Amino acid sequence: EIVLTQSPATLSLSPGERATLSCRASQSVANYLAWYRQKPGQAPRLLIYDASNRATGIPARFSGSGSGTDFTLTISSLEPEDFAVYYCQHRSSWPLTFGGGTKVEIK
Amino acid sequence: EVQLVESGGGLVQPGGSLRLSCAASGFTFSNYAMSWVRQAPGKGLEWVSTINRSGDTTYSADPVKGRFTISRDDSKNSLYLQMNSLRAEDTAVYYCAKFTGPYGGYGDYWGQGTPVTVSS
């Protein structure tokens, strides 16, 4: 099973600041990695797929990078709706796994 | 508009059974893999099970293997999760998700979730 480790666990930032989230895989997943945002009480929403592709309707302030074992989600300028929990997920092999999440909170 | 609506959750005693359903609309259901993902209270996301577009291949996480069965009925645009021998640790909100490809991928659309509580 591929373990995905997200860091930091919590990120305290102000609106308008840049957020940088990390996801590290226990073995290579090539570029088969996605990022989701989950607001409180809501289902997750797909942001980025295959490491760097924005999903439908996702604004340009979200970008993804990385390959192999190290991946980054960058939010260039935080909007109020971006204060939420972010998860990474791989599709490299079965079982699929999610990272433990990074909470982006208002400083 | 893609819609996924789960139902069937509730309170069940340890050792009991539940069948979750997910009604899909707004896309060609038979073209995509479908999955169940759960989230225990205050915890992260956990993949549970995936079924491919044709329904002849399924994958399940180790904690639910042999107890949970995923299935689909393309004539009804519906996804199911039969859950047997339920344990306290199965308590979670269960999400139905449309996946991006015919055999797996990522969840590009999700339902609102149905809560399952396993307790005596």
Side-chain angles (χ1 to χ4, degrees), chain B residues 19 36 51 58 69-73 78-82:
Chain B
R19 188 193 196 208
W36 290 97
I51 187 166
T58 64
T69 302
I70 189 172
S71 62
R72 64 191 296 158
D73 185 339
S78 291
L79 177 72
Y80 305 101
L81 186 67
Q82 178 66 44

Side-chain angles (χ1 to χ4, degrees), chain B residues 80-91:
Chain B
Y80 305 101
L81 186 67
Q82 178 66 44
M83 304 188 295
N84 299 329
S85 303
L86 283 160
R87 306 167 180 166
E89 54 266 35
D90 296 319
T91 294

